[in-house]
Amino acid sequence: MDPNCAFDRVAVVGTGGYGWHFLCALLANKRLYVRAVTSATETDTQPGLAKQSGLVKQKRTDKQKRLAKLREMGAEIVEYSEATSEAFASAFTGIHTVVSAVGLGGVTSQIAMIDGALAAGVRWFIPSEFGVAHYASAWMPFPSPLAPKTDVDQYLREHAQPRGLAHTVIYTGLALDYLDPASIGLKLASRSATLVGRGGTPVSFTPAHNVVQLVCNIVQRPNEMMNRTIRFAASTHKMRELIKVATNGEHGEHVKIVCVEEAKTKFCELAKRQDPRAFQIYSRLLIEEGLGQINHMNEPLDNAMFPDIDAEPVRTTLERLIENAHGEPHEQIKPTPAHRTSTAKSVTDGLGRRFRDLNL
């Protein structure tokens, strides 16, 4: 008997984004029992929102369609109204493995998830990572937006693991076809870009479909994967290399360069106002700081453990996204002079001319 069969009852928390793709892939394996655990919709818990925004109604409709499709595919659907340990304990009854696919806003709820998993007798918990590890930056005047990820990792190691709940943390770098490329300065429809700093630090990339393959592979190999950190990167490139592809140029046409200190100042201004644009600037600063590389401290990558995954290079992902993008052509972008410090000018390797960019 395959010892991995003892972990054939899997729950995925979250039915949108990665959660949807994880569920669809896991349901293709008929050996697994798959449960989709999802929060009650906004209109269930806050009826007033439906009157304020048609978008909320549309989100609820989309979600109900997803849940109907998952049921049709064979998933059990369990909803919870509050993110408490008691609610999660009930949702995880009879489950061996929990995969969290909550978004960044739901990261802190994973503490209650872990407590619920312990109460329900779950054996293995995979937190929502699928990106880069969090490291504190000395220049930050307040906790970073990614700090709760460290709290979850620490809670798993120090609180859950000693009580019998195994875990696996998965780092895959950035997925250009999952996040908005504009959030890291690549504006594909207009074939333009914004570069913060030098753009010379390596960044790890893994496309979304490879992330899904990786997670589903790991879920089916518990005895090898428990209580460890997995680092998988389809490719590693510097931002300046991607900008050349994104802008279809070697000399910096349609590239705006922003010095690091200017970006830090702008980030702090927006963050104090809780402006969501702050996170985009923060992401670009992390990349320039070298924290976009999942093995920047020389940790070994684990790609060799997954020979069946045909890793797609980020250049291929980027070219695919460009092909599908639609926007104004180069000749419609009006080049305008922009201020640049002498320091920035000396480190940009010819990425000189820039177009007007109001979004940093």
Side-chain angles (χ1 to χ4, degrees):
M1 179 179 177
D2 183 355
N4 290 325
C5 288
F7 293 82
D8 58 1
R9 298 178 65 84
V10 182
V12 176
V13 183
T15 59
Y18 272 136
W20 164 259
H21 295 290
F22 293 159
L23 285 161
C24 290
L26 290 169
L27 284 165
N29 184 342
K30 300 306 179 183
R31 183 180 62 82
L32 298 177
Y33 164 88
V34 180
R35 180 181 298 169
V37 177
T38 182
S39 65
T41 60
E42 291 88 347
T43 47
D44 289 335
T45 57
Q46 304 176 53
L49 289 180
K51 300 177 182 179
Q52 298 172 21
S53 171
L55 180 60
V56 174
K57 290 184 178 180
Q58 184 61 48
K59 285 185 175 180
R60 184 185 184 191
T61 299
D62 292 344
K63 181 172 183 178
Q64 293 306 317
K65 288 180 179 178
R66 289 200 306 271
L67 297 183
K69 182 62 177 177
L70 289 170
R71 287 191 184 95
E72 181 183 322
M73 296 170 66
E76 179 190 8
I77 309 297
V78 173
E79 292 188 306
Y80 60 91
S81 57
E82 295 183 25
T84 63
S85 58
E86 293 79 12
F88 285 123
S90 176
F92 297 155
T93 299
I95 291 296
H96 305 143
T97 303
V98 170
V99 179
S100 172
V102 296
L104 185 59
V107 167
T108 55
S109 69
Q110 292 182 117
I111 300 297
M113 267 184 230
I114 294 165
D115 288 339
L118 284 165
V122 173
R123 303 174 190 173
W124 190 18
F125 187 90
I126 299 176
S128 183
E129 286 287 349
F130 325 122
V132 298
H134 167 256
Y135 294 92
S137 297
W139 61 269
M140 286 278 287
F142 33 74
S144 84
L146 299 180
K149 295 172 64 174
T150 299
D151 297 336
V152 171
D153 185 35
Q154 183 176 356
Y155 197 74
L156 282 167
R157 297 177 188 279
E158 298 181 2
H159 178 74
Q161 185 176 341
R163 296 174 61 187
L165 179 61
H167 66 275
T168 303
V169 177
I170 304 170
Y171 297 126
T172 53
L174 307 184
L176 280 188
D177 54 349
Y178 184 75
L179 54 80
D180 179 2
S183 67
I184 60 171
L186 303 177
K187 298 163 189 179
L188 305 185
S190 58
R191 301 302 296 271
S192 56
T194 301
L195 174 66
V196 171
R198 307 182 181 194
T201 55
V203 186
S204 303
F205 294 93
T206 304
H209 68 275
N210 282 162
V211 174
V212 174
Q213 290 174 319
L214 176 69
V215 171
C216 292
N217 190 302
I218 288 171
V219 165
Q220 297 173 73
R221 297 162 62 184
N223 295 318
E224 299 174 67
M225 302 297 168
M226 282 183 169
N227 294 326
R228 63 182 301 167
T229 297
I230 297 295
R231 290 180 171 84
F232 182 100
S235 60
T236 301
H237 284 273
K238 299 175 182 178
M239 279 303 299
R240 61 172 67 147
E241 297 167 349
L242 296 190
I243 284 175
K244 290 178 180 179
V245 177
T247 61
N248 194 30
E250 291 286 332
H251 303 294
E253 295 91 342
H254 313 300
V255 178
K256 177 183 176 181
I257 300 167
V258 180
C259 71
V260 170
E261 293 308 314
E262 180 184 349
K264 289 178 180 177
T265 300
K266 186 68 172 178
F267 164 75
C268 291
E269 290 175 357
L270 294 176
K272 288 176 182 177
R273 302 200 302 263
Q274 296 186 326
D275 190 314
R277 292 177 297 172
F279 189 76
Q280 292 191 7
I281 301 175
Y282 174 69
S283 299
R284 301 179 204 183
L285 286 167
L286 285 186
I287 289 173
E288 178 60 16
E289 200 172 346
L291 302 182
Q293 184 181 14
I294 60 175
N295 60 329
H296 76 280
M297 298 182 71
N298 297 318
E299 302 95 334
L301 291 178
D302 298 304
N303 292 35
M305 297 181 65
F306 307 95
D308 294 336
I309 296 179
D310 184 14
E312 178 181 276
V314 67
R315 186 184 182 103
T316 302
T317 306
L318 188 55
E319 290 172 344
R320 172 163 51 85
L321 293 174
I322 291 171
E323 185 177 350
N324 294 331
H326 300 282
E328 58 180 338
H330 279 196
E331 54 269 25
Q332 294 182 14
I333 301 173
K334 182 180 179 181
T336 58
H339 171 72
R340 182 173 58 174
T341 66
S342 58
T343 301
K345 184 176 181 179
S346 68
V347 298
T348 53
D349 287 352
L351 294 176
R353 287 181 287 170
R354 297 162 320 282
F355 64 94
R356 192 166 179 226
D357 181 346
L358 301 179
N359 296 320
L360 193 57

